[in-house]
Amino acid sequence: MLTRRDFVKWCAAVGAWVYVGGLAGCAQRLYDPEGPPGASAFTPLDPATIAKFGTPMLVPPAMPRAEGPDGIDYYEISMRQFEQQILPDGLPKTTVWGYGPVAAASADALMIHNAPSLTIEATHGVPTRVKWINDLCDENGAHLPHLLPVDPTLHWANPQGKEAGRDTRPVFTETPGPYTGPVPIVTHVHGAVGVGDESDGYPEAWYLCDGPVVGYARNGTWYDFFAAKAKNELGVEWGDGFAIFQYPNDNRACTLWYHDHTLGMTRLNVYAGPAGFYLVRGGDAGDSAVTDSRTGSPAILPGPAPAEGDAPDTRYCEIPIAIQDRAFNEDGSLFYPSDRAYFDGIVGPFIPEGDGISPIWNPEFFGNTIMVNGATWPYLEVERRRYRLRFLNGCQSRFLILDFGAIDGARVWMIGSEGGFLREPVNISSATGAGRLVLGLAERADMIVDFTDVPEGEYVLGNVGPDEPYGGGEPGDDFEPSDPETTGVIMQFRVVAATGTDDTTPPEYLVLPALEVLPTESVTRKLALIEVMGMGRGEAGEEIEGPAEAVLGIVNDDGEPEPLEWADEVTENPAVGATELWEIYNTTADAHPMHVHETVFELVNRQPLAMEEDELAEPLTPVGEPTGPLPHEAGFKDTVIAYPGQVTRIRARFGRAGQFVWHCHIVEHEDNEMMRPFRIGPEQAGQPAPKPMADRETESMDD
């Protein structure tokens, strides 16, 4: 495997940057937690001073349903601003955003907003309908500003551009400060299969809170088109401050999650808090289809999971666990960089001058604190029995390598990924070595952790992924693991005596439902991951080269990567029902977790790309033997890690016509051009046309 360290060594060997077809293939990174010289003032709460393992981990309750049509699970859910005790008791609360119910069929329903939010429980084949409400207004109805610095020089939602300029990259005559206007949102259920495009959370279908709007566009470019489609196909009416989406739940039983997906703002909106689990149950590939190989009878998986109406003292043995990285200021507020200097010391020139470098956007961000289910470094009390833990990497840019090695006697198995159950259970301790599991951004792992033979006591779940961009390889050899005192720690398990017998099926005896065999592909597409560089200056006037944007593109007939921006015409246009092979050529120095909306796919293989004189050769050429998916990747997925210097091949079937997106799930990349629309089937009558990019050419920097 070509690791990121190998790639950077090649850069050093030629004494500068390696370029592929004029595009950067290597990138320098500076990750001092205090920021480099010239960075904005960072008055952080030192993570080393935050007490660990004093807060019990929240087990997210089930989202209460509202009264709705027969045959449909109906919810009314809003996004609000509130304070939450994320840091340990005794430290300040944190102002965050989160989803929560605003209507419920039961008088005893749990009506709370939280970050992460309550879990939506869905049933295979039974539609779920959600009224998603933007409630980011104050008690007087006035729009609330963002909690974090919004860079208005990106190609973003841009409400201040009004109708003509929304969803564009604005043109400036001088470098602007952060945007302070009303906040747009649009919710995406990550991994939903067969969903209509009107309900997928398209990045240009955002909407503001239902408050007075003066000088701003109220809705995104696609909002009205999708509102009309929802009325025609679903019989629902959208209105100011909300949209009504419907999910057919065509997925196999699996772990999904929901989060904001606004154009150019996803990194900020999600960092502020709004996200939650969405679990699909039942169907031919659900829990009841799992059998015990010893008897052939139905297996018993660990449970229960949270459900509506549970007693407060219910002990759960199926638990979703969202891992996120954050940083905090001393007053408890969320920290997120307010200028580009924090990343690499560039203090200018910025858009509209220089090489198109934005003044606030940071190419990646690594929080210095780990948050699990909405609390920093919590503990979970577990009995000496088996548990089903559904892990989500909800970080900004951080790849996790979960390390169970310090839990003496634990037996760890993975039974499912994003698309449901795997082909067969995978013993993580023996299959991946040392009880470790790589989890890319937005990837999920459905795991059984057996604490039966773990002595009573306290044990730490670790993380040996890097505190910088990940490119594959082994911790300690190819990269430095996370800080063992802070980001190298996820949470604590407190193992206590079992209170009863455990009649669940040992994971080695589980027979998982068969996986569907996808048809042979009719089309192969060659796609490219590209990093575009720009030149800036540091505080002392020195030249500093750094990423201006991360982009997607295609590999042309000559084998050269061609970058494409969000506003360029659609190049990926599968036919309805078609199965395609997408070959993703990664020409950058980093691994990228690639997500395709509307469908799930199978990872076919990965293959190195040819090198020539310490550069990626052109034309881009796969060499050597392809390697198949790792055991824990041998199932259907919606997010896959594309490693540097490799081509990653996925096979997918595209079942429903409409306009969707594919993108990198490093959210800082996604927000600055590493996302592209794709269309299944023909254009729809009356659909909005792509907006042309503004003229971004500027004069060269003075010597």
Side-chain angles (χ1 to χ4, degrees):
M1 176 177 292
L2 177 66
T3 68
R4 184 178 188 278
R5 178 166 289 187
D6 293 333
F7 220 96
V8 172
K9 285 179 180 177
W10 282 320
C11 291
V14 297
W17 306 93
V18 177
Y19 286 85
V20 181
L23 304 172
C26 294
Q28 184 180 7
R29 304 286 195 247
L30 298 176
Y31 288 100
D32 182 343
E34 299 294 336
S40 54
F42 183 17
T43 55
L45 180 62
D46 183 350
T49 67
I50 301 173
K52 296 182 178 66
F53 316 138
T55 304
M57 190 190 80
L58 169 73
V59 178
M63 183 77 72
R65 295 171 176 84
E67 295 283 358
D70 291 341
I72 292 177
D73 290 337
Y74 179 65
Y75 298 85
E76 294 189 3
I77 300 172
S78 76
M79 185 192 295
R80 289 180 180 167
Q81 179 170 299
F82 52 92
E83 288 190 332
Q84 182 171 315
Q85 191 68 58
I86 295 176
L87 297 165
D89 285 340
L91 292 174
K93 291 185 176 182
T94 303
T95 299
V96 294
W97 298 342
Y99 294 104
V102 296
S106 170
D108 299 325
L110 186 63
M111 305 296 286
I112 63 169
H113 285 64
N114 199 73
S117 309
L118 309 188
T119 299
I120 296 176
E121 288 277 346
T123 302
H124 174 83
V126 177
T128 296
R129 181 177 292 178
V130 184
K131 181 179 181 179
W132 296 108
I133 303 165
N134 184 340
D135 202 10
L136 295 176
C137 286
D138 64 19
E139 62 275 9
N140 299 316
H143 291 96
L144 293 169
H146 213 292
L147 298 176
L148 306 167
V150 178
D151 193 326
T153 69
L154 304 179
H155 191 157
W156 71 297
N158 191 28
Q160 65 189 356
K162 303 180 184 178
E163 184 170 335
R166 60 187 171 173
D167 299 313
T168 64
R169 186 188 291 269
V171 176
F172 295 96
T173 57
E174 58 184 25
T175 302
Y179 167 80
T180 57
V183 177
I185 72 164
V186 63
T187 302
H188 168 56
V189 173
H190 181 117
V193 169
V195 66
D197 57 357
E198 81 289 339
S199 299
D200 189 48
Y202 194 71
E204 292 184 355
W206 52 266
Y207 45 95
L208 303 182
C209 178
D210 182 17
V213 176
V214 178
Y216 299 95
R218 183 179 291 278
N219 304 313
T221 304
W222 281 73
Y223 179 93
D224 288 339
F225 175 78
F226 284 147
K229 188 173 182 179
K231 181 177 181 180
N232 182 57
E233 298 189 5
L234 304 175
V236 297
E237 295 271 1
W238 296 9
D240 290 344
F242 71 90
I244 301 175
F245 294 173
Q246 185 159 308
Y247 309 96
N249 296 321
D250 290 343
N251 298 70
R252 303 167 84 236
C254 61
T255 307
L256 309 180
W257 64 302
Y258 59 96
H259 60 82
D260 183 77
H261 214 281
T262 304
L263 183 68
M265 294 183 68
T266 300
R267 71 197 186 286
L268 303 174
N269 287 4
V270 174
Y271 191 84
F277 284 94
Y278 184 114
L279 305 182
V280 180
R281 301 186 185 275
D284 293 340
D287 292 2
S288 62
V290 181
T291 59
D292 187 325
S293 65
R294 299 169 297 181
T295 63
S297 58
I300 302 174
L301 296 173
E308 286 190 74
D310 283 344
D313 59 350
T314 302
R315 292 184 71 93
Y316 300 109
C317 293
E318 182 192 326
I319 303 171
I321 298 178
I323 304 170
Q324 299 168 293
D325 58 346
R326 296 290 185 267
F328 299 88
N329 291 307
E330 290 180 346
D331 63 359
S333 62
L334 290 169
F335 168 81
Y336 192 85
S338 60
D339 60 36
R340 173 56 185 262
Y342 177 80
F343 178 77
D344 53 13
I346 292 178
V347 299
F350 296 123
I351 291 174
E353 299 177 345
D355 281 354
I357 295 176
S358 294
I360 299 175
W361 175 76
N362 276 237
E364 284 101 4
F365 176 70
F366 294 79
N368 58 17
T369 304
I370 297 297
M371 182 175 77
V372 181
N373 285 3
T376 55
W377 292 303
Y379 72 87
L380 176 66
E381 183 178 281
V382 295
E383 297 182 8
R384 297 183 68 192
R385 53 156 297 147
R386 285 180 281 274
Y387 285 76
R388 184 179 184 180
L389 305 179
R390 298 177 184 249
F391 288 97
L392 159 70
N393 181 347
C395 296
Q396 296 292 110
S397 301
R398 180 185 298 278
F399 283 74
L400 299 169
I401 303 180
L402 300 182
D403 186 0
F404 296 87
I407 307 175
D408 184 33
R411 300 174 65 242
V412 183
W413 293 74
M414 182 166 166
I415 61 172
S417 59
E418 299 90 68
F421 288 119
L422 299 172
R423 194 173 306 279
E424 60 186 10
V426 176
N427 186 331
I428 293 302
S429 298
S430 64
T432 61
R436 294 173 177 174
L437 177 69
V438 177
L439 204 59
L441 287 301
E443 285 191 310
R444 283 89 72 202
D446 188 351
M447 307 184 77
I448 293 179
V449 180
D450 190 346
F451 294 96
T452 302
D453 296 328
V454 178
E456 294 180 40
E458 299 174 347
Y459 302 89
V460 171
L461 172 61
N463 166 44
V464 292
D467 284 326
E468 62 178 8
Y470 174 69
E474 293 296 322
D477 294 331
D478 299 294
F479 55 84
E480 292 298 323
S482 296
D483 183 340
E485 300 300 320
T486 56
T487 51
V489 177
I490 301 294
M491 60 182 291
Q492 183 191 70
F493 291 108
R494 296 185 179 179
V495 181
V496 300
T499 57
T501 59
D502 184 359
D503 58 358
T504 62
T505 305
E508 60 265 36
Y509 298 119
L510 295 177
V511 179
L512 305 179
L515 292 172
E516 178 186 8
V517 178
L518 292 180
T520 302
E521 60 273 7
S522 57
V523 174
T524 297
R525 300 185 188 275
K526 294 185 177 182
L527 310 171
L529 312 182
I530 301 164
E531 189 168 57
V532 178
M533 305 297 284
M535 185 67 73
R537 294 192 185 279
E539 193 173 49
E542 73 279 18
E543 289 189 342
I544 301 175
E545 191 166 16
E549 58 187 26
V551 302
L552 304 178
I554 62 171
V555 179
N556 64 24
D557 292 341
D558 295 325
E560 300 167 340
E562 289 187 3
L564 295 169
E565 308 262 357
W566 168 256
D568 288 323
E569 293 287 344
V570 166
T571 51
E572 290 70 60
N573 183 203
V576 176
T579 299
E580 297 195 350
L581 185 73
W582 285 18
E583 298 186 334
I584 303 171
Y585 288 73
N586 186 353
T587 70
T588 80
D590 301 336
H592 298 269
M594 302 309 300
H595 173 45
V596 183
H597 285 216
E598 200 282 326
T599 188
V600 291
F601 51 77
E602 59 184 13
L603 170 60
V604 177
N605 58 45
R606 299 181 176 96
Q607 190 172 5
L609 298 174
M611 303 293 296
E612 186 176 278
E613 296 182 357
D614 299 323
E615 299 184 26
L616 283 179
E618 287 193 8
L620 296 175
T621 305
V623 295
E625 289 297 319
T627 57
L630 296 170
H632 70 278
E633 298 175 311
F636 285 113
K637 297 178 63 61
D638 60 44
T639 306
V640 66
I641 301 174
Y643 288 98
Q646 293 187 358
V647 54
T648 299
R649 299 182 178 93
I650 61 173
R651 180 181 291 116
R653 182 169 56 199
F654 299 91
R656 184 161 183 171
Q659 185 95 352
F660 302 95
V661 299
W662 68 287
H663 59 87
C664 174
H665 222 285
I666 295 173
V667 284
E668 282 78 16
H669 293 183
E670 170 186 345
D671 276 349
N672 193 5
E673 300 298 344
M674 209 166 203
M675 178 167 62
R676 286 278 293 149
F678 77 94
R679 186 175 61 251
I680 303 173
E683 282 194 17
Q684 302 169 76
Q687 75 172 50
K691 292 190 173 182
M693 289 290 291
D695 181 5
R696 295 174 54 207
E697 292 187 8
T698 58
E699 295 181 4
S700 300
M701 289 176 51
D702 294 333
D703 293 333

